[in-house]
Amino acid sequence: MIERDEALRAVESSLDRPSAARIYDYFIGGTTNWAIDREFAEKVRARLPLMGDYCLTSRQFLGRAVRQSVRTGIRQFVDIGSGLPTAGNVHEVADEERPEQDVHVLYIDNEPVALAHSQILLADTADPDRHQAIAADLLQPEELWERVMDSDVIDVREPIALIVNAVLHFIKDDQDPDGVLSFFRDRVAPGSLLVLSQMTNENPVDDEERQALADLLEYYESTTNPGVLRTMAEFERFFGGWPLLEPGLVYAPAWHPDRHTVFKKAPSESRVIGGVARKPAL
């Protein structure tokens, strides 16, 4: 486990710029954020008043995707870019859905602070035989996959739900997200699920919203995680042609909504798209 002193040093070294993980945490009501993150978040909120609801949409989609994955028989989750722990962590949702408590979860993040907080959370609340957090980078897929295989909580020979939630809007095309996701799709077992979501610039309601979304990208250029928005057509390729579970690639609130879902009555206002696809049998 990362030592607390090391975590504090990581925090101190990251305070010169806002962190996307901490900004997200602030928007969904978390407490692991600092003044520089809150100041940036409020600047974004002034331009996009619903930004907090967009972030909550992503978090809610994750929870519903985990529940549906468990219901389809998935018993292993690999959450890449898991970020800072907050309400509705994957292992908590899975254990609520599966009282037998036989679901295994591996959290992966490349940000030392996020990893440290995840490991502290798991030490306090989780089952170390089933839940772990490790350091690895989505953009270094071979090294990441080696760490997954070396873990003692995931059996890569069996189906996995591979989660990349609210991460791909921080991966620009010149960073080769296509190659990265192709690598993982090739290696997971048949029957595995791929859970993806990101923010979109699909069909802005007017020129004002179009400009606001452009401004959002400009703002994030000053953070540790510059971003990119994609349309549904641009995003769908990341599933690699795998069959999508119903209802397909949609605005996230339209994906198996429940009574808590924000934007349930107007999913397209959420600015978040997502879907879940299954790897076909050989």
Side-chain angles (χ1 to χ4, degrees), residues 3-260:
E3 298 293 336
R4 289 174 187 263
D5 286 348
E6 184 179 344
L8 289 173
R9 287 195 296 272
V11 170
E12 292 170 359
S13 68
S14 70
L15 292 182
D16 60 329
R17 286 185 296 169
S19 156
R22 298 193 306 254
I23 295 163
Y24 181 84
D25 174 74
Y26 174 70
F27 272 130
I28 62 176
T31 58
T32 311
N33 49 77
W34 281 263
I36 193 169
D37 308 302
R38 295 188 288 272
E39 181 180 351
F40 178 88
E42 290 305 327
K43 175 183 175 182
V44 171
R45 200 196 304 270
R47 192 70 183 91
L48 280 169
L50 295 178
M51 189 65 186
D53 289 334
Y54 302 159
C55 293
L56 181 58
T57 293
S58 295
R59 192 68 181 177
Q60 290 182 337
F61 169 76
L62 171 64
R64 298 195 305 277
V66 170
R67 291 189 187 280
Q68 291 296 325
S69 297
V70 171
R71 291 169 187 172
T72 68
I74 291 293
R75 298 293 178 265
Q76 303 186 106
F77 291 85
V78 175
D79 185 1
I80 303 177
S82 51
L84 293 161
T86 187
N89 295 294
V90 171
H91 74 280
E92 295 168 332
V93 175
D95 281 354
E96 287 176 5
E97 186 63 33
R98 182 79 179 165
E100 294 87 346
Q101 297 196 341
D102 57 356
V103 178
H104 290 227
V105 180
L106 186 64
Y107 294 101
I108 300 176
D109 207 283
N110 68 342
E111 184 171 316
V113 177
L115 178 65
H117 279 285
S118 293
Q119 291 181 326
I120 292 168
L121 167 77
L122 295 180
D124 292 341
T125 68
D127 178 350
D129 292 331
R130 297 187 297 118
H131 311 133
Q132 290 182 11
I134 64 173
D137 190 335
L138 173 67
L139 297 180
Q140 298 177 0
E142 293 186 11
E143 179 181 329
L144 185 152
W145 195 246
E146 286 179 5
R147 298 221 60 195
V148 172
M149 291 191 295
D150 289 343
S151 77
D152 54 8
V153 298
I154 299 296
D155 182 352
V156 299
R157 298 168 297 181
E158 297 296 326
I160 295 166
L162 189 71
I163 299 169
V164 187
N165 182 62
V167 172
L168 286 165
H169 45 236
F170 296 119
I171 310 296
K172 296 186 177 183
D173 285 352
D174 61 8
Q175 295 173 288
D176 193 25
D178 300 86
V180 168
L181 289 170
S182 176
F183 177 93
F184 292 123
R185 291 196 306 267
D186 287 345
R187 281 155 181 79
V188 297
S192 292
L193 299 180
L194 184 59
V195 180
L196 303 178
S197 77
Q198 84 150 78
M199 279 194 67
T200 182
N201 53 2
E202 181 94 4
N203 296 326
V205 296
D206 53 29
D207 289 341
E208 171 64 20
E209 185 179 39
R210 181 178 291 104
Q211 185 58 52
L213 292 170
D215 291 346
L216 176 68
L217 294 181
E218 183 179 345
Y219 292 170
Y220 268 85
E221 286 294 322
S222 68
T223 75
T224 57
N225 306 91
V228 58
L229 303 180
R230 295 183 175 94
T231 65
M232 285 195 183
E234 292 168 337
F235 187 67
E236 187 169 12
R237 72 184 197 266
F238 294 142
F239 292 100
W242 288 6
L244 286 153
L245 303 189
E246 292 295 331
L249 175 57
V250 293
Y251 287 100
W255 203 90
H256 297 278
D258 57 29
R259 62 189 179 90
H260 302 292

